[in-house]
């Protein structure tokens, strides 16, 4: 529940802005509309929860702009039959939006403290179709694969092959690609019977996906 007395007015303005940036799917918009983003933010940033901006959530991480959350969710073309994987739970905001539109969401966060807070929010919102763990999401979640949908909430050097291999045939992955923060693209990959179809969704800006296989000497 939102604690902002002007929730309805602020949310109305945000929804209008989201439409202008291309979030037009009615189900995605109504899910954003009933999800109080202020619940996912540290106290100093709560008053800005309904602006279309990324905001700090601690540990040098940010919750994405509602416009980006909306676009990524829309491009996943979710139905209530889908099993979905999210890499980078962060505040849990994107996860809550996804979970309301799919059958089951698996989500992985490398900062245990962030995961703990996100889990409290899932419990508070009584969402029981989310399985969240602390760990390295670069390896995906092989025990639960394949997934019909994968959302990567941190930027990778390229479409991660490990995650692509955990995508069902016909499945969709949305992932920010590019390690230079000034030059990242949001990419939509559909797994086909014999390969992949890739579509560029435009410029974006995400924190890097920490890949322990690359960043250690292992
Ligand atoms: N979806 C989040 C935004 C997350 S920001 C939200 O709605 O708030 C990206 C998150 O990815 C950060 O919390 C960061 O800690 C996490 N992350 C980065 N690399 C990761 C990895 N290899 N495994 C799991 N989480 C990772």
């Amino acid at each position: 529940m939102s604690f902002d007395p002007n929730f309805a007015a602020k949310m109305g303005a945000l929804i209008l802005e989201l439409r202008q940036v291309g979030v037009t799917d009615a189900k995605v918009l109504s899910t954003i509309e009933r999800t109080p983003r202020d619940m996912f933010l540290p106290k100093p940033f709560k008053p800005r929860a309904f602006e279309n901006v990324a905001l700090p959530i601690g540990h040098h991480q940010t919750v994405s702009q509602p416009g980006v959350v909306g676009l990524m969710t829309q491009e996943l073309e979710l139905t209530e039959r889908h099993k979905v994987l999210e890499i980078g739970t962060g505040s849990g905001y994107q996860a809550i939006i996804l979970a309301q539109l799919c059958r089951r969401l698996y989500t992985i966060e490398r900062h245990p403290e962030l995961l703990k807070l996100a889990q409290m929010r899932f419990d508070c919102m009584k969402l029981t179709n989310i399985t969240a763990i602390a760990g390295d999401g670069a390896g995906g979640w092989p025990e639960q694969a394949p997934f019909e949908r994968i959302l990567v909430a941190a930027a990778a050097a390229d479409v991660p092959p490990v995650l692509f291999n955990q995508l069902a045939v016909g499945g969709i992955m949305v992932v920010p690609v590019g390690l230079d923060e000034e030059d990242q693209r949001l990419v939509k990959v559909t797994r086909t019977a014999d390969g992949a179809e890739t579509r560029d969704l435009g410029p974006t800006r995400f924190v890097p996906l920490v890949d322990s296989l690359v960043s250690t000497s292992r």
Side-chain angles (χ1 to χ4, degrees), residues 148-185:
E148 278 89 32
R149 302 290 186 260
I150 298 179
L151 185 151
V152 187
D158 209 336
V159 176
V162 176
L163 299 181
F164 180 78
N165 286 333
Q166 293 181 23
L167 197 58
V169 172
I172 298 173
M173 166 159 51
V174 177
V175 52
V177 167
L179 294 185
D180 177 358
E181 264 195 40
E182 305 295 323
D183 187 24
Q184 281 176 14
R185 313 292 300 181

Side-chain angles (χ1 to χ4, degrees), residues 57 61-64 86-94 108-111 114 135-138 153-154 207-210:
I57 55 171
Q61 308 301 326
T62 53
V63 55
S64 309
E86 179 194 33
I87 309 299
T89 320
S91 68
Y93 176 68
Q94 170 79 74
I108 311 176
E109 168 55 52
R110 63 186 288 271
H111 283 294
L114 290 179
D136 180 7
V207 298
L209 177 74
V210 177

Side-chain angles (χ1 to χ4, degrees), residues 70-87:
L71 278 176
M72 290 176 92
T73 308
Q74 177 170 288
E75 292 298 338
L76 282 180
E77 302 170 32
L78 294 168
T79 77
E80 65 279 3
R81 294 191 309 277
H82 289 150
K83 179 161 91 169
V84 181
L85 175 66
E86 179 194 33
I87 309 299

Side-chain angles (χ1 to χ4, degrees), residues 23-152:
V23 186
T24 52
D25 184 281
K27 272 193 185 170
V28 173
L29 284 172
S30 64
T31 306
I32 290 176
E33 196 166 14
R34 65 170 172 262
T35 307
R37 189 170 177 248
D38 51 347
M39 256 188 65
F40 298 83
L41 291 166
K43 209 166 177 192
F45 298 106
K46 284 186 191 291
R48 301 191 61 196
F50 306 105
E51 293 175 28
N52 189 20
V53 291
L55 291 166
I57 55 171
H59 299 275
H60 306 289
Q61 308 301 326
T62 53
V63 55
S64 309
Q65 285 174 266
V68 173
V69 170
L71 278 176
M72 290 176 92
T73 308
Q74 177 170 288
E75 292 298 338
L76 282 180
E77 302 170 32
L78 294 168
T79 77
E80 65 279 3
R81 294 191 309 277
H82 289 150
K83 179 161 91 169
V84 181
L85 175 66
E86 179 194 33
I87 309 299
T89 320
S91 68
Y93 176 68
Q94 170 79 74
I96 292 263
I97 302 285
L98 294 173
Q100 293 176 79
L101 293 163
C102 73
R103 177 167 60 81
R104 177 151 285 279
L105 176 72
Y106 293 86
T107 181
I108 311 176
E109 168 55 52
R110 63 186 288 271
H111 283 294
E113 302 85 355
L114 290 179
L115 201 267
K116 207 168 143 191
L117 284 173
Q119 185 66 60
M120 279 167 59
R121 293 164 184 146
F122 302 154
D123 296 343
C124 180
M125 289 194 72
K126 302 200 173 17
L127 277 164
T128 53
N129 64 338
I130 304 178
T131 310
I133 53 165
D136 180 7
W141 199 319
E143 297 81 7
Q144 293 298 339
F147 298 93
E148 278 89 32
R149 302 290 186 260
I150 298 179
L151 185 151
V152 187

